[in-house]
C-alpha cells in the first residue's frame, strides 16, 4: 500500500516524463507492475516503426514517379497505436507459452493464412512461433490500412498539415498520390486472401461511413442549437449523446453501450478498431474479448480527450458536433460542460483500463494511462 501510494504521488508530479508517470499511475491504480512488458515495449516500438517506414518507402516510390525526382515523405498519425498494442499482446502471450523466445530478429512478411471459422470461436492450436509470425503479418496489413484510412479522412476534410515532404507541390496532389499508392497495395494484399477478410474490413468501413454520411445533419443540429432552438438541443441529446444502436457491437456489454456518446463514437472511430481486431482473429489469433474492449474504449477516449478537446475552438467555430462541443450545448454553463467532458472521458478510460487489466495486458493499461495524462483540458472554457 505504501509503494502504491508513493507511486501515485510520483505519477502526479509534472516534473517526470509522461511515459514514466503513466507506468507509475497504472501501478498505483491497479497494483500491476510487469517489468517484462516494459522491456517488451522497446521491441514493439522498433518493429512497428520499421513497418511504418516500409509503408512510407512505398509512398516515396509513388511520389518519385509522380514528380520525377526522389521525394522524402512522412505522415504524423497516432492511429496505429491499437495495432502496436495488439502485436505486443500476442508477443507477450506467445512468450509465456514458449521454451525459447518466439520473437526473432526479423519481421515476418506476406499475408497470414486465414481461418474462416475463427470469428465463430474456432481458434486453431498454433505454436508460439506461428502466432508471432501471423501477428507480425497482420500488423503490417493493419498499419497500412489504418494509415490509408487516416489519409482518406484528411483528404476528405482538406487537412494536409500532417503530410510532410520536401517537394514544392500542391498538398492535395501529394496526399492523393500517397493515398492511392497505399490503396493499390492494400487491394493487392486483400486479393491474395479469402473474401471473408475483405468483407470484414469493408463492414467496418461501411459502418463508419454511414455515421460520416450524417455529418451535415449533425452540423445543422449544432447550428440550430447554437441559435437557441430547444428542439435541436433535445435532438443533440437524443440522436448524438444517447443514440440507440441499430446494429449492436458484440465487443460491448450493456455497460459500454450505456455510456454517453457510445453509439456515435463507436461508429465514428471504435468500429474501425473492432474490424482490425477481427482481422487478427481471422489470422487464427486468440484475441480476448476484454482486450478488444479495452482497445475500442481507449481509442474512443483518446479521440475525445486528445483530439476533440484540442480542437474545441475550431470545431465550435466550424459547427462540428463532437462529444466536447455537444456538452457545451447541453450543459447549463461552461463549468458544468467542462466537468461533463472530464467525466465522460474518465468513464471511457477507466473502463478501458479495467478491461486491459482483466485481459492481462499491462502495456494497454499503461497506454490508457498515457492517453489520460497527455490531455490538456485547460484549453476548454470553464477550466479553473
Amino acid at each position: 500500500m505504501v509503494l502504491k501510494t508513493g507511486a501515485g504521488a510520483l505519477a502526479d508530479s509534472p516534473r517526470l516524463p509522461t511515459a514514466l508517470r503513466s507506468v507509475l499511475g497504472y501501478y498505483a491504480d491497479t497494483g500491476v507492475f510487469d517489468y517484462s512488458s516494459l522491456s517488451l515495449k522497446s521491441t514493439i516500438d522498433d518493429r512497428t516503426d520499421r513497418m511504418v517506414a516500409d509503408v512510407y518507402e512505398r509512398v516515396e516510390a509513388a511520389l518519385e514517379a509522380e514528380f520525377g525526382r526522389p521525394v522524402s515523405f512522412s505522415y504524423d498519425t497516432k492511429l496505429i497505436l491499437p495495432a502496436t498494442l495488439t502485436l505486443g499482446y500476442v508477443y507477450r502471450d506467445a512468450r509465456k507459452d514458449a521454451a525459447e523466445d518466439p520473437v526473432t530478429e526479423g519481421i515476418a512478411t506476406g499475408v497470414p493464412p486465414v481461418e474462416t471459422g475463427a470469428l465463430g470461436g474456432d481458434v486453431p492450436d498454433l505454436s508460439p512461433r506461428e502466432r508471432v509470425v501471423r501477428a507480425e503479418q497482420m500488423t503490417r496489413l493493419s498499419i497500412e490500412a489504418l494509415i490509408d484510412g487516416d489519409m482518406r479522412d484528411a483528404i476528405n476534410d482538406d487537412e494536409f498539415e500532417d503530410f510532410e515532404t520536401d517537394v514544392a507541390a500542391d498538398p492535395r496532389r501529394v496526399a492523393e498520390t500517397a493515398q492511392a499508392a497505399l490503396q493499390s497495395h492494400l487491394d493487392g494484399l486483400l486479393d491474395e486472401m479469402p473474401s471473408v477478410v475483405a468483407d470484414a474490413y469493408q463492414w467496418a468501413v461501411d459502418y463508419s461511413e454511414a455515421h460520416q454520411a450524417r455529418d451535415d445533419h449533425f452540423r445543422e443540429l449544432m447550428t440550430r442549437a447554437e441559435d437557441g432552438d430547444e428542439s435541436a438541443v433535445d435532438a443533440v441529446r437524443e440522436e448524438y449523446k444517447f443514440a440507440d444502436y441499430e446494429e449492436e457491437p458484440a465487443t460491448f456489454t450493456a455497460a459500454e453501450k450505456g455510456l454517453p456518446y457510445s453509439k456515435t463514437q463507436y461508429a465514428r472511430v471504435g468500429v474501425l478498431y473492432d474490424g482490425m481486431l477481427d482481422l487478427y482473429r481471422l489470422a487464427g489469433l486468440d484475441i480476448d474479448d476484454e482486450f478488444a474492449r479495452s482497445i475500442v474504449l481507449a481509442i474512443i477516449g483518446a479521440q475525445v480527450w486528445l483530439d476533440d478537446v484540442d480542437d474545441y475552438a475550431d470545431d465550435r467555430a466550424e459547427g462540428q458536433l463532437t462529444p466536447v462541443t455537444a456538452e457545451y450545448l447541453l450543459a447549463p454553463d461552461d463549468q458544468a460542460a467542462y466537468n461533463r467532458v472530464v467525466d465522460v472521458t474518465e468513464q471511457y478510460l477507466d473502463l478501458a483500463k479495467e478491461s486491459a487489466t482483466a485481459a492481462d495486458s499491462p502495456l494497454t493499461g499503461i497506454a490508457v494511462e498515457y492517453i489520460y495524462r497527455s490531455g490538456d483540458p485547460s484549453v476548454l472554457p470553464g477550466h479553473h
Side-chain angles (χ1 to χ4, degrees), residues 55 59 144 147-148 151 178-187:
V55 171
V59 169
E144 190 160 353
I147 293 174
D148 172 66
M151 285 184 176
Q179 189 274 321
L182 296 191
Q183 182 177 343
S184 175
H185 187 252
L186 275 172
D187 288 346

Side-chain angles (χ1 to χ4, degrees), residues 214-229 231-233 235-236 240 311-329:
R214 301 192 68 199
D215 186 61
D216 287 344
H217 171 67
F218 288 135
R219 286 177 180 272
E220 179 191 355
L221 287 182
M222 183 166 173
T223 299
R224 287 167 48 204
E226 290 271 26
D227 291 340
D229 184 335
S231 66
V233 173
V236 169
Y240 196 77
D311 296 342
Y312 167 76
D314 290 340
D315 288 341
R316 191 77 183 261
E318 295 167 8
Q320 181 68 55
L321 194 59
T322 72
V324 177
T325 56
E327 287 302 347
Y328 282 86
L329 296 174

Side-chain angles (χ1 to χ4, degrees), residues 285-297:
L285 298 166
D286 188 10
I287 303 297
D288 182 85
D289 287 345
E290 289 281 12
F291 176 77
R293 195 150 38 245
S294 71
I295 290 292
V296 176
L297 288 167

